[in-house]
Amino acid sequence: MLSDLITLIQKDFRLIIRSSVHLFSVVLFGVLLLLLFSFSMGGDIDLLRKSAAGLFWITVFFSSTFFLDQSLQYEQKDGRIEGLLLLGVDPKIYYVSKTFSNFLLLILVEFFLLFPLIVLFDVPFSWSMLTVLIMGSFGISALGTAYAGVTTSLVSGNVLLPLLLYPMLIPLLLAGVQATQLCITGDLFNERFMWYSLLAIFDVVFFVAAFLCAPFLFDKSS
Amino acid sequence: MSASAAVHLQGVGRRFGRRWILSSLDLTVQPGETLAIFGNNGTGKTTLLQILATLLSPTRGDITIFGHSLAREKNSIRRLTGYIGHAKQLYNHFTVDEYLELVFRLRHKTTEKMRTRVDQSLDTMGLTAHRQAIIETLSEGMKKRLTFCRLLLCDPRLILLDEPHPTLDAQGKMIFDRLMREWKQNGKTIFIASHEHDQTLAHADRVVIINEGKFTHEVRDRNKYVE
Amino acid sequence: MFVVFSLIAILFFAFAQYWALAIAPPEKWMGDVYRILFVHVPAAWNALLMLSVSFVASILYLIKRKPFYDRLAASSSEVGVVLTGLTLMLGSIWGKPTWGVWWTWDPRLTTTAILFLLYMGYQILRRLIDDAEQRAKISAALGTMIFLNVPIVYFSVKWWRTLHQLQSSPQTVAPEMVLPLRLNAFAILGLALIFLWMRMRIARLESQKEEQ
């Protein structure tokens, strides 16, 4: 089990390095979005700072659907995922490996998006922001991997993914934005721990649920 | 029901939407037997093989493979079968070596003997010279041969081949004939669905013809086979 | 059986609505406008009930694999979506004279809106998968996850609102309004069951047609 997990994650990273997922274009897309947002807000630096958290998370949402779709589409093509299952890979292990590699990818993308955020929106960097990002990204990957697994197997799947996934992620968006906002403006009453706990609950609930549902989502014969 | 049979199908049917691709199949295949499945396109050959390979579940009917029930012991069956279908299932950003090592690790959960087994399979399929090549750059025929390498590494007892001929190159076809003879000597059970009747008949012990989701003819003596 | 039940349910609905519209006294501040709550609140309760039925049916499908549970999950979620939509519409109509705006970010109303989106997505998904078994399996898995999200959505919206110091409407209900509210809850439950029964029948006929 564990050895399969490691092998699969290694495989994913080799694929990322060989650019089956166009990481660079995803990052560029995110940077472009942040730039567009600041244009559309009229360049008022106070207004930008106030809305930075919300716009940043929306950017993360958009970019993540991009590569979630790409990374699972690749597995869906040419029967690759079926090949793995026939080799004896447990669909649950497959789910964990995909979630994990998508999570690391998302963190990497966010890392590059932090620079334009700090520069364009005049946001002070804080380490607690990273905690929020990590917890939020895990939730997005846990749920997004499961949903992308379903939508990429359908004909009109790429439209469907955001349609199904975004409403599910609303609690995560609220918690992520509020917690990030508190990191930016300062958190006098330690309110952000409330949002941390919400993020933690979200992450655990959906990781466990999707883990248990993985055979139904990824294995057609289950 | 015969416990010793390699594959046993009883009343197997599969529906897609409103269409019954397979209506009701009964079949028993003994270990070591080579079964050829003929039939026009869309008659359900591929569906049948995909069901046996545990890629699809049947809508009705029971299947037993080497004594394991398909409905309940899917994982044991996956360890015993090897399948080559239309989709090549290859990671085309990997090199040939990397891909086969991935296959070996996932199948056998160990790296023991990995190198020798990979080398052997590459040698058998005539791909040793291309071991460092990225799969994407290989020709279609070589990619097909690579799927046979995967099958060799898995070393299954039941081999399911869905139209192996058309994408094989000339060298591939020669190797394929040799492999078939070897497999038969080693007592493998083989299913081949094909349009290339002559090349398949050379190996088949038994022929079934499938039409509109049913077996319409069965020929036990291959010399008597006439279209 | 079904006809008798339907008749009784519809008559009971008419009776409960009559009570709500004519017998119950007008509210002190809002006058007659508040009467819309006699449909709004029961619709919301029954929507949640139907979605819970769908949740349980989804889990049962994943365990037992009986097509019946899939049909139940599909039908009850559809009735639930209709009731959710009704709740939203009425809530919005009620909000205009009461708060002066069509929409407020009241936690319950917002949660209902998100639920509506979630289950609309579920309905779309069901229509995009051709293979009956695949559809049943995948929708059961996603249906389970969607329902698990309901409490999380509710608390996240609630915390989000309290942070912004915006009051949600205090819902103290006068005793003479409790009875018609309860009556209407059962009246709408009756209607929902009629819908569910009819939808189940359609689903059964559809799958019979597919099997031919």
Side-chain angles (χ1 to χ4, degrees), chain A residues 41-83:
Chain A
M41 307 280 286
D44 176 352
I45 202 73
D46 282 333
L47 186 62
L48 282 179
R49 203 182 297 121
K50 266 185 212 145
S51 29
L55 297 178
F56 181 72
W57 276 96
I58 292 289
T59 309
V60 168
F61 266 39
F62 285 168
S63 323
S64 65
T65 8
F66 239 19
F67 73 75
L68 280 171
D69 192 54
Q70 276 181 32
S71 96
L72 280 117
Q73 191 94 58
Y74 184 81
E75 298 285 348
Q76 205 76 44
K77 269 189 208 148
D78 205 24
R80 292 190 181 105
I81 179 172
E82 294 175 344

Side-chain angles (χ1 to χ4, degrees), chain C residues 185-207:
Chain C
F186 283 106
I188 292 194
L189 175 65
L191 290 189
L193 288 177
I194 296 177
F195 287 152
L196 182 63
W197 196 89
M198 294 206 287
R199 187 60 188 79
M200 281 293 281
R201 212 175 101 90
I202 294 171
R204 198 174 57 239
L205 290 173
E206 270 173 354
S207 68

